[in-house]
Amino acid sequence: MRAVFGLVLLVGMGLAGFAVYMVNQYMDAQAFALEQERARAANIVATIDVYSPSRDVSYGERLTIDDVKVIKYATNNLPEGVFRTQEELFPEGVNVPRVVRIPMYVNEPITALKVTRAGAPQGITALLDPGMRAFPLPNQMTQAFSGELRIADLIDLYWVGRVGSGPEISRLVKTRLEIIAIDEPDANGNGGGNGVVVQVSQEDFADLQVLRAAGTLSLTPVGRNDLESGDLTIETNIRDVLGVVEAPAPIIEEAPEECFRTERRGIDMVQIPTACN
């Protein structure tokens, strides 16, 4: 009887140990699955619905409801000025389109910077900020950067000329002018860069008209991360560039003043030195 009892006890203890082992295995499996789920959740990127072109669009095109679609975009990398709803993109109704200011491509978020206000007319007037004027740059001025300039780029303008009879000078005259229109390259990347138009204040427009007539204007692009305006006091001439120092003018000593009086001596007129008054 005691042997049977001992056997039953041993079997019971074995079953209990096995049960504990199975419970531990189950708990470990659950903990591993929980860690995997947490890791997967940490790698999930939060997204938001924004509007994007459904086809590539170029400067000056009308952007209608048929040209847009909704895409998912990473919330942490959301550009400023995106449109999240149809009402935001077409506030005056889907029959009142916007005009494209900056070329956009499929799956690129549409932002307020890249389009005009709803209902704005096509053409250069739609691209101007209130109170600003359009100033076209001659193509020969932009040829050095043909194909490199883009809409919304900033440029500085330098003037080379002569004021009166003075030496020819080079001077920074206008800084951080925004390009609002430009001929875009074709599908193969050829052409583009001509027809550059910048927006300027009315005072700047008048200044540039005079400067263009009195000398030569040239441009240089401003870096995208350069947030400071150029130093409009920058001016140089050929002597400054070459480091030429003008020799001082020679000092000419004036001869002492001599005075004479004239006397007649016979038939001759004679000059006799005398003190000067």
Side-chain angles (χ1 to χ4, degrees):
M1 187 67 181
R2 289 180 179 177
V4 173
F5 179 75
L7 179 62
V8 171
L9 181 60
L10 288 174
V11 171
M13 291 178 64
L15 290 174
F18 180 74
V20 171
Y21 171 77
M22 293 299 295
V23 169
N24 287 337
Q25 289 292 98
Y26 176 77
M27 294 299 291
D28 289 343
Q30 289 293 98
F32 180 72
L34 182 60
E35 287 299 323
Q36 283 189 317
E37 184 63 24
R38 287 175 178 171
R40 188 181 68 83
N43 292 328
I44 293 177
V45 177
T47 61
I48 193 172
D49 288 345
V50 297
Y51 273 86
S52 164
S54 58
R55 62 179 181 85
D56 294 348
V57 292
S58 300
Y59 155 73
E61 287 192 67
R62 292 160 62 91
L63 191 71
T64 68
I65 188 64
D66 296 328
D67 302 317
V68 300
K69 66 177 182 178
V70 176
I71 63 171
K72 299 286 186 183
Y73 203 84
T75 304
N76 292 340
N77 300 321
L78 201 63
E80 185 178 353
V82 297
F83 298 98
R84 299 178 54 185
T85 66
Q86 180 175 296
E87 289 72 23
E88 290 179 353
L89 185 56
F90 301 107
E92 299 183 19
V94 295
N95 294 324
V96 182
R98 293 176 182 261
V99 177
V100 178
R101 295 184 63 181
I102 300 176
M104 293 177 286
Y105 304 96
V106 176
N107 295 330
E108 176 184 347
I110 301 171
T111 65
L113 178 66
K114 300 174 183 177
V115 293
T116 65
R117 61 177 176 81
Q122 286 182 282
I124 199 71
T125 55
L127 309 177
L128 291 168
D129 292 337
M132 303 298 281
R133 300 295 183 265
F135 186 83
L137 301 181
N139 289 341
Q140 61 267 27
M141 185 191 303
T142 62
Q143 284 177 352
F145 299 99
S146 179
E148 300 296 331
L149 299 174
R150 296 290 183 270
I151 293 175
D153 282 352
L154 301 177
I155 62 170
D156 286 348
L157 288 183
Y158 285 79
W159 178 79
V160 176
R162 181 177 284 106
V163 179
S165 59
E168 191 171 65
I169 64 172
S170 173
R171 182 168 184 172
L172 175 62
V173 289
K174 301 297 175 185
T175 182
R176 297 180 65 81
L177 300 181
E178 180 189 6
I179 296 176
I180 59 172
I182 190 172
D183 292 344
E184 292 293 329
D186 59 23
N188 297 321
N190 300 320
N194 291 331
V196 175
V197 179
V198 294
Q199 67 170 346
V200 299
S201 68
Q202 298 179 50
E203 181 181 359
D204 285 343
F205 186 92
D207 290 347
L208 290 173
Q209 290 286 68
V210 173
L211 291 168
R212 184 166 61 178
T216 303
L217 288 171
S218 59
L219 69 85
T220 180
V222 176
R224 294 186 181 275
N225 297 324
D226 188 352
L227 303 180
E228 297 184 2
S229 297
D231 184 0
L232 293 176
T233 63
I234 293 176
E235 178 178 310
T236 187
N237 56 52
I238 191 63
R239 291 186 177 275
D240 293 337
V241 173
L242 298 179
V244 176
V245 178
E246 291 189 23
I251 300 176
I252 301 176
E253 295 185 1
E254 294 184 359
E257 184 179 9
E258 295 181 353
C259 300
F260 302 88
R261 61 184 176 84
T262 304
E263 289 185 1
R264 179 183 294 277
R265 292 185 178 179
I267 62 172
D268 296 326
M269 300 297 292
V270 179
Q271 287 189 329
I272 300 173
T274 184
C276 298
N277 294 330

